Amino acid sequence: MNLPMRNRILLAASVLLASLPLAGAELVEKIVARVNDRLITNSEFEARFAVFISSPQAGNNPLEAKRKLLSELIDEKLLEERAKELSVAATDEEVETAVERVKRQYNLATDAEFDNALKSSNLTREDLKRQMKNTITLQKVIGRDINSKLDLSDDTLRLEYERRKDQLYKTPDQAQVAEIVIRFDANDPAARARAASRIEEARAKITAGAAFADVAKQYSEGNARERGGALGTVSKGELVTALDAAVFSDPPAEYPPAVLLSSSIHLFHVTDRKSAGYRPFAEVKDDLRARIGDDLYDKHYGEYIQKLRREAFIKIYEPALAAAKEEKKAS
């Protein structure tokens, strides 16, 4: 926003005075940054940094972490000012509900347990309520100015589905598969011959009308023996190449030829073949809405914050932190 010349002069004077020693007194609080008429004090910054530095987003460089945090605090001050403009605030009921949610999240059954947990974090219940009130208020601002403008209609989702389905929702060829496995010593030709003979014996019983599952329980040496050889749904490319080629043969075969590997021989029963395709829109709509919502939110939030910054007066008084970009509207 454009500050009247009188305000800019007063602001410059206050900064100058803050840098001078006061006769007979000490400066009570150091100012890290100013966002319009709101101040980020050193005590506020250091208290937040003590928590922020242990978060994943802080990274390994303490100075860069301080710059990141300062940027976040500047954004918060801008949102607080926007909340005031909109007359938006969290209600006492919303704050109490949020506090109760925290208690449940950490399994704190009694008020005493809750207060002790807060104390271990150097917080009081009133501290937490103030934090919750501020967080909920800022969420309301974002909800009004950003979330309400996100287009997540079915028409938008369908367009995004067509655009992203190859990347997100493509499904390979699949089939329901059961197997009979006979194992043998790879260095024993006679054992290999006996295994092949047993597989043919099993196949003959199936051809004569025996249920594949019953024959598998009798003959198979695989892990799925007790399940009648059932492997469940198998996707193309999931098995080793030779087995995959048998299961997904072209043309499809319910009982493809037995497959001989180096130390085992496999007989398959293949049912319910499904060609490669895509998960249907109705099945993935909620997942797609969440993905698009996140993408759109990030885009709109970034644009929104940059607009607030362009319209604001932002001054950083710590030279080492000044890389946290200062922006002010041209006067």
Side-chain angles (χ1 to χ4, degrees), residues 82-90 136-138 140-141 144:
R82 180 62 176 155
K84 185 177 180 181
E85 291 174 5
L86 297 173
S87 298
V88 169
I136 295 168
T137 298
L138 299 190
K140 285 187 171 185
V141 172
R144 182 192 181 282

Side-chain angles (χ1 to χ4, degrees), residues 200-221:
E200 289 308 314
E201 187 179 317
R203 180 191 287 278
K205 289 192 174 186
I206 294 166
T207 302
F212 188 96
D214 292 339
V215 177
K217 289 178 180 178
Q218 179 182 355
Y219 283 84
S220 184
E221 297 170 1

